[in-house]
Amino acid sequence: QKEVEQDPGPLSVPEGAIVSLNCTYSNSAFQYFMWYRQYSRKGPELLMYTYSSGNKEDGRFTAQVDKSSKYISLFIRDSQPSDSATYLCAMGNTGFQKLVFGTGTRLLVSP
Amino acid sequence: DGGITQSPKYLFRKEGQNVTLSCEQNLNHDAMYWYRQDPGQGLRLIYYSQIVNDFQKGDIAEGYSVSREKKESFPLTVTSAQKNPTAFYLCASSIDADTQYFGPGTRLTVL
């Protein structure tokens, strides 16, 4: 079993839809959680960072962490064609130098 | 403009050649990382460095070498011992143990 599981997609939605992207993980020691957005042939861009459990909102993006279920989510409201990209989750331990990444979910938002 | 730069953007290698990928950052970050990205496999850590003149092997270090002589620079050499080097290589840096920021990547192709 992989340490972090992420559905590769692609996930296709119409413009304006609410998008839900998810990752599950097995290591209960993970304390911080991130979402990155990666456009084709570009480096990943940090979108959201969350420490421990709870929600964090930034504009159209909301990150949720449920440590009891070992499940994290990224919600995108009013999705736009420019949101079409691959979304990577990443997580790690406090003081730990190595992040563990999901394989990424490809999102396609059609006009 | 602060950020991470990688060069070249595209690199072609012949069998038996060593090639060096450049990574420079002006963010004053202590830690730097090299990842390899292959389709369907996510990001895999090659090497990381927490401080100048010190670096550690990641999960797939065989066939690669690095140096960290300056805080802002962390070059990666792909040696002829790396049997399957064709991939997208990403450099990242961080000021603390968690949040990592990525460069634009170098796509290496073996001819």
Side-chain angles (χ1 to χ4, degrees), chain A residues 32 36 38 43 46 49 96 98, chain B residues 33 37 45 97-100 103:
Chain A
Y32 51 93
Y36 289 85
Q38 185 176 24
L46 180 65
Y49 168 86
F96 197 49
K98 296 194 286 184
Chain B
Y33 311 80
Q37 188 174 35
L45 183 64
D98 44 19
T99 313
Q100 294 182 19

Side-chain angles (χ1 to χ4, degrees), chain B residues 65-80:
Chain B
S65 65
V66 294
S67 63
R68 186 83 188 278
E69 297 176 2
K70 298 186 295 183
K71 186 176 186 177
E72 58 270 22
S73 179
F74 192 39
L76 174 74
T77 296
V78 184
T79 74
S80 57

